[in-house]
């Protein structure tokens, strides 16, 4: 667990890459979050190994090479997550536009479910999706945090 500009966040890695980035809410315990997604994993706390990752993600300097990510999900979820990765920082889209962009124009609700299942807060930028009305919509880690991240990115810090 490390501090970020948006509150404490759990970051977890495997040999293959970052497998979890989760903003903690109201004293959430990190271990149950990891066991829920990775029940057979042996957990080891190594803040020295994860601190540089947090610095690369939220710091002023971008890493020299792309960060390795390791996520599991359905083919549809991967389609949605890839589409999220294509949204530039500081830009927003709607669930319907995202659904149309992946070739499923009538699947806005399913896209919303895939967005909500994102295991990598901020890295897979689900915070860039809003309702057609312009309202921020829901966010797994809180609407206030979602709005703060959007403002941070639009100000050039993201």
């Amino acid at each position: 667990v490390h501090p970020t500009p948006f509150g404490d966040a759990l970051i977890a890695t495997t040999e293959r890459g970052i497998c979890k980035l989760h903003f903690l809410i109201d004293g959430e315990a990190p271990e149950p979050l990891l066991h829920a997604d990775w029940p057979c994993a042996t957990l080891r706390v190594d803040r020295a190994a994860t601190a540089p990752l947090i610095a690369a993600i939220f710091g002023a300097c971008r890493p020299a090479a792309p960060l390795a990510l390791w996520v599991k999900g359905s083919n549809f979820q991967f389609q949605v997550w890839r589409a999220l990765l294509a949204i530039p920082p500081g830009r927003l889209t709607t669930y319907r536009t995202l659904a149309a962009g992946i070739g499923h124009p009538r699947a806005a609700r399913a896209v919303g479910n895939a967005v909500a299942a994102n295991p990598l807060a901020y890295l897979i930028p689900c915070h860039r999706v809003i309702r057609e009305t312009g309202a921020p919509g829901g966010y797994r880690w809180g609407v206030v945090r979602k709005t703060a991240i959007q403002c941070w990115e639009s100000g050039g810090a993201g």
Side-chain angles (χ1 to χ4, degrees):
V1 176
H2 296 274
T4 76
F6 311 107
D8 287 345
L10 162 68
I11 186 166
T13 64
T14 71
E15 292 177 359
R16 294 184 178 194
I18 300 168
C19 63
K20 186 82 158 174
L21 183 58
H22 181 98
F23 294 113
L24 298 175
I25 300 170
D26 297 328
E28 264 182 316
E31 292 83 5
L33 295 169
L34 291 172
H35 281 296
D37 288 342
W38 304 93
C40 297
T42 301
L43 302 181
R44 182 172 51 91
V45 176
D46 187 351
R47 289 181 50 83
T50 55
L53 295 172
I54 289 291
I57 295 164
F58 295 105
C61 299
R62 291 290 177 225
L67 296 171
L69 308 179
W70 177 246
V71 294
K72 54 185 179 176
S74 69
N75 288 338
F76 183 79
Q77 287 172 324
F78 274 96
Q79 277 187 301
V80 172
W81 298 339
R82 279 189 200 103
L84 290 171
L85 290 167
I87 303 168
R91 302 293 293 272
L92 302 175
T93 193
T94 65
Y95 295 98
R96 184 183 304 224
T97 301
L98 194 61
I102 63 167
H104 299 280
R106 297 172 52 108
R109 181 164 283 153
V111 163
N113 289 334
V115 168
N118 170 20
L120 298 175
Y122 189 78
L123 289 172
I124 298 176
C126 55
H127 56 274
R128 296 181 188 153
V129 185
I130 60 172
R131 293 184 178 153
E132 285 188 0
T133 62
Y139 187 59
R140 184 177 183 179
W141 298 284
V143 175
V144 170
R145 183 175 280 134
K146 179 178 186 174
T147 304
I149 294 170
Q150 291 170 350
C151 290
W152 192 61
E153 283 189 342
S154 67

